[in-house]
Amino acid sequence: MRTFQLIPATFCIVPFTLLLCMAAPPANADVTVNGLESEAKKNVQLTLSLAKEQCQTPEWKIRALFNKADDEIYEALRALGYYHPVTEKSLVFEPKCWQAAFTIDSGPRTIVDGVAIRLNGDADDDPAFQKLRTELLAENGKPLRHDDYEKMKSRLQSLAMERGYLQAGFSEKQLLIDKANNKAQIKLVFDSGQRRVFGEVTVEQDVLNPDFVREFISVKSGDFYSSEQLAKTHTALSKSGYFDRIGIRPDTEHTDQNRVPVSIKLYPAKIHHYGIGIGYDTDIGPLVNAAYKNRRVNRRGHFITANLDIAQVRSTADAEYNIPLDDPVNDFFSFGGGFKREEVNTYTSKSAKLSARLKHAFDSGWKQTLFIDSLYEDFTIGTTSNQVYLLVPGGSWLRSVADSTMRPTRGYRLEFNLAGSYKNPVSEVSFVQGSVAAVWTHPLPWRARFIGRAEQGATLVDQFDKLPPSYRFFAGGMNSVRGYAYRDLGPRDNLGNIIGGKLLTVVSAEYEHYLFDNWGVAAFIDGGNAYNPDNIRIKTGAGLGVRWYSPIGPVRLDFAVPLSESDSSFQIHFAAGTRL
């Protein structure tokens, strides 16, 4: 039995014989600042030592800090260009606590009346430095801020290190203040010296062919030194998956004829990687996952991936053999196969697939996959059962942009898909299918964001009854129209069985509001359906949701109701993972 006892100024919890007491936190005194605009006021409040003291602080210390406040206010306002503040202040001691008040007239603000920047050395002819100098000269005429002046110097020094001016420095840096006229002048002389180039690039590793590894390295001997190229090389080697640790060391202290040698040491990752996990999704039920990857089948960088998902509604097993091409950072060829079993309320299906894929990542950020699939599917949908062979070539194009991989607040995702088949001895159905899907998220005031989602698909087919469920459109579920069960929307046959449609439309609008650092709530409305051209019926669902931004990604729990006449009822949707 637990008892709770309240004691003045102390909160005690008494579980069994263990006593835990935590004193109430001391109260801070009331320190008010008036007469200033928001930024200046905030800077003064952060600078005042007095504002950090509590009611219990001794009087002698409060009076000392009160006398010191004039200097602190001057320093806080000086940083923003105010050199003539006038302050009225008061300090009152009462039995319970003390109070201090400051009324401040900041006076006129100092304006930057001239900016002079001279570049000596190779930087004077460098387009990047010319662009930066133009940007910095635009500070002329703006209110003076000392932090902006420091940023100007920092930007010049950072650009120098980035572009290989390794001995650059200022021979003159002055901020001249004319207090009488409230004007300031900035004078900077930056000596860049000679720009360095990359020297010999040595790579230490013994698990892959040296020529193959060098395809990941954008640092080339004789090119201008660039920290961007060093970072690009590190990123490419890291994303390759072949290495556990990557060490890149430019030897800037030992240069010969302005050439900077670079040594790269690579520590291989384990060849075999195994993973297992469990989860739950309201669309497919409890899920068990197992994954395997062989990172290095041979010294040419070939690798194998395999995945097994077992769930009540949908289970899959697949394996893929991947071959890096001439540009292993962006180009792959792969082939493989897989099996899939689906038992949805609307249909059952068992399928086997052999695939070949050509993958390419464009510099623009688009990812392209061209493929050809050989599919066998045994299915029952409505009153129809069939076994179909298909040979399906096609392609997909994807671009995803986000300001964060785990918790995006701004970004978008676009995906286009095109596939088809022509009736021939190895393909029993002729059809063409295309779809486009988009997700867009944008921040809103008061710790909120908007998420918009849309999807449109269309199919032209000669014999719809032979088209397997894998190529029919259905709607409903967590990532479709919430408020309806998974794949529970679509055209029906004469007996009322959902058989899927030739067209698909889904739109969604969602408002998400953050309550705490890792928790939020959402309100949403979804609309759409799978349908045929002669019978367009749009269904709508709406609801509320809870969001948890866990260490492994966002978790969504939605409560939705259908707003259209339907056999569906109140639905709970649960899923994990980012939507971008």
Side-chain angles (χ1 to χ4, degrees):
M1 177 177 179
R2 295 190 177 191
T3 62
F4 297 89
Q5 180 182 9
L6 290 178
I7 300 175
T10 305
F11 179 61
C12 297
I13 302 176
V14 188
F16 305 105
T17 59
L18 177 63
L19 178 67
L20 299 176
C21 297
M22 182 173 63
N28 284 348
D30 185 14
V31 178
T32 59
V33 177
N34 299 311
L36 298 176
E37 295 181 356
S38 58
E39 184 181 33
K41 181 177 180 178
K42 183 178 180 180
N43 211 39
V44 168
Q45 290 172 329
L46 291 173
T47 306
L48 277 175
S49 301
L50 196 64
K52 303 178 180 66
E53 297 303 320
Q54 300 157 353
C55 292
Q56 294 88 341
T57 303
E59 181 176 340
W60 65 265
K61 184 177 181 181
I62 297 301
R63 292 190 180 279
L65 294 178
F66 182 72
N67 293 332
K68 182 184 176 183
D70 289 324
D71 293 336
E72 293 178 335
I73 291 171
Y74 176 77
E75 288 300 318
L77 293 176
R78 173 181 173 274
L80 299 175
Y82 299 102
Y83 284 87
H84 306 286
V86 176
T87 303
E88 295 180 3
K89 59 181 183 176
S90 63
L91 177 63
V92 177
F93 286 91
E94 296 181 350
K96 290 186 178 181
C97 197
W98 54 271
Q99 295 180 352
F102 300 87
T103 300
I104 305 169
D105 180 359
S106 64
R109 193 170 189 179
T110 301
I111 302 299
V112 178
D113 189 45
V115 179
I117 300 175
R118 191 170 79 225
L119 302 173
N120 295 329
D122 289 356
D124 190 39
D125 297 320
D126 189 326
F129 269 93
Q130 293 172 354
K131 180 181 178 182
L132 178 57
R133 177 166 53 185
T134 300
E135 293 177 6
L136 298 181
L137 292 176
E139 294 295 315
N140 189 42
K142 294 183 179 180
L144 173 66
R145 291 177 56 112
H146 283 250
D147 58 341
D148 285 345
Y149 170 65
E150 295 300 325
K151 288 177 185 176
M152 292 173 70
K153 296 186 293 182
S154 178
R155 290 182 67 184
L156 286 166
Q157 291 172 324
S158 296
L159 185 61
M161 291 302 297
E162 177 185 324
R163 295 183 63 78
Y165 301 93
L166 303 182
Q167 295 180 331
F170 291 97
S171 58
E172 184 178 349
K173 46 183 178 180
Q174 291 184 321
L175 175 59
L176 305 175
I177 309 297
D178 182 357
K179 292 184 179 180
N181 296 305
N182 300 306
K183 294 181 179 180
Q185 290 189 337
I186 297 173
K187 293 183 178 180
L188 299 175
V189 178
F190 191 68
D191 297 329
S192 68
Q194 192 171 2
R195 189 176 180 184
R196 301 294 196 264
V197 298
F198 286 120
E200 182 182 6
V201 179
T202 58
V203 181
E204 184 179 342
Q205 62 86 34
D206 59 0
V207 294
L208 295 169
N209 288 343
D211 291 341
F212 174 72
V213 173
R214 287 193 176 272
E215 295 296 331
F216 293 91
I217 299 173
S218 55
V219 175
K220 307 297 181 185
S221 179
D223 288 352
F224 281 123
Y225 181 97
S226 168
S227 59
E228 180 182 354
Q229 292 303 319
L230 291 171
K232 184 178 178 181
T233 296
H234 188 281
T235 299
L237 289 168
S238 179
K239 287 185 175 181
S240 72
Y242 299 117
F243 308 105
D244 181 51
R245 286 185 295 136
I246 300 161
I248 300 179
R249 182 178 176 270
D251 191 355
T252 57
E253 296 182 359
H254 301 88
T255 60
D256 181 20
Q257 297 179 345
N258 293 318
R259 301 174 72 87
V260 180
V262 178
S263 60
I264 301 175
K265 189 170 184 179
L266 305 175
Y267 302 84
K270 293 181 179 179
I271 295 179
H272 303 287
H273 173 76
Y274 303 91
I276 189 168
I278 58 175
Y280 180 81
D281 188 308
T282 48
D283 287 346
I284 63 173
L287 171 69
V288 176
N289 169 264
Y292 167 74
K293 184 173 184 177
N294 184 323
R295 293 186 173 100
R296 298 188 306 277
V297 176
N298 53 41
R299 292 180 62 87
R300 298 187 299 277
H302 297 193
F303 62 95
I304 295 174
T305 58
N307 194 73
L308 174 66
D309 288 330
I310 300 176
Q312 180 180 355
V313 174
R314 182 178 65 230
S315 297
T316 61
D318 57 74
E320 190 173 34
Y321 189 96
N322 299 267
I323 303 172
L325 301 180
D326 290 342
D327 181 3
V329 177
N330 299 311
D331 294 322
F332 287 89
F333 173 76
S334 67
F335 59 89
F339 300 91
K340 181 172 68 172
R341 176 197 59 83
E342 283 190 288
E343 292 185 3
V344 189
N345 291 335
T346 52
Y347 65 85
T348 61
S349 169
K350 296 178 182 178
S351 62
K353 181 189 292 186
L354 295 176
S355 301
R357 278 164 165 66
L358 184 62
K359 305 172 186 177
H360 175 71
F362 294 95
D363 293 338
S364 61
W366 283 95
K367 296 181 180 180
Q368 172 184 271
T369 301
L370 303 178
F371 62 85
I372 184 167
D373 294 337
S374 177
L375 174 75
Y376 165 78
E377 188 160 350
D378 182 352
F379 64 92
T380 298
I381 185 166
T383 58
T384 302
S385 296
N386 226 322
Q387 297 176 345
V388 176
Y389 292 91
L390 291 175
L391 185 65
V392 184
S396 67
W397 296 264
L398 171 68
R399 177 167 169 77
S400 181
V401 176
D403 57 0
S404 170
T405 55
M406 296 293 287
R407 190 173 177 176
T409 58
R410 185 191 304 271
Y412 65 88
R413 174 188 173 95
L414 283 173
E415 184 173 4
F416 299 90
N417 293 281
L418 182 65
S421 179
Y422 184 74
K423 191 172 182 179
N424 58 65
V426 294
S427 192
E428 299 180 38
V429 182
S430 292
F431 76 95
V432 175
Q433 185 175 90
S435 67
V436 55
V439 179
W440 179 65
T441 182
H442 189 78
L444 296 175
W446 305 299
R447 302 186 68 204
R449 67 169 178 162
F450 171 81
I451 303 170
R453 178 167 50 89
E455 185 176 2
Q456 181 66 53
T459 306
L460 292 175
V461 59
D462 61 347
Q463 293 176 287
F464 185 78
D465 60 330
K466 285 192 174 183
L467 191 68
S470 298
Y471 294 97
R472 299 190 189 190
F473 289 120
F474 299 87
M478 181 64 177
N479 297 307
S480 182
V481 182
R482 286 165 287 188
Y484 300 86
Y486 177 62
R487 297 204 159 193
D488 204 32
L489 291 179
R492 300 173 182 266
D493 61 14
N494 294 332
L495 299 178
N497 300 307
I498 298 172
I499 58 173
K502 300 177 183 178
L503 300 171
L504 173 71
T505 300
V506 174
V507 292
S508 172
E510 182 172 320
Y511 174 83
E512 191 173 289
H513 187 87
Y514 306 118
L515 294 179
F516 309 104
D517 288 342
N518 296 317
W519 289 90
V521 294
F524 57 85
I525 183 168
D526 299 341
N529 206 343
Y531 54 92
N532 291 322
D534 58 347
N535 189 12
I536 301 175
R537 293 183 179 180
I538 299 300
K539 303 291 186 178
T540 307
L544 301 174
V546 178
R547 304 290 180 260
W548 175 42
Y549 295 93
S550 73
I552 59 173
V555 176
R556 296 175 285 153
L557 178 63
D558 288 338
F559 306 91
V561 294
L563 302 182
S564 306
E565 293 183 4
S566 172
D567 294 334
S568 183
S569 59
F570 172 79
Q571 296 285 323
I572 297 176
H573 302 283
F574 176 86
T578 181
R579 283 175 276 188
L580 294 181

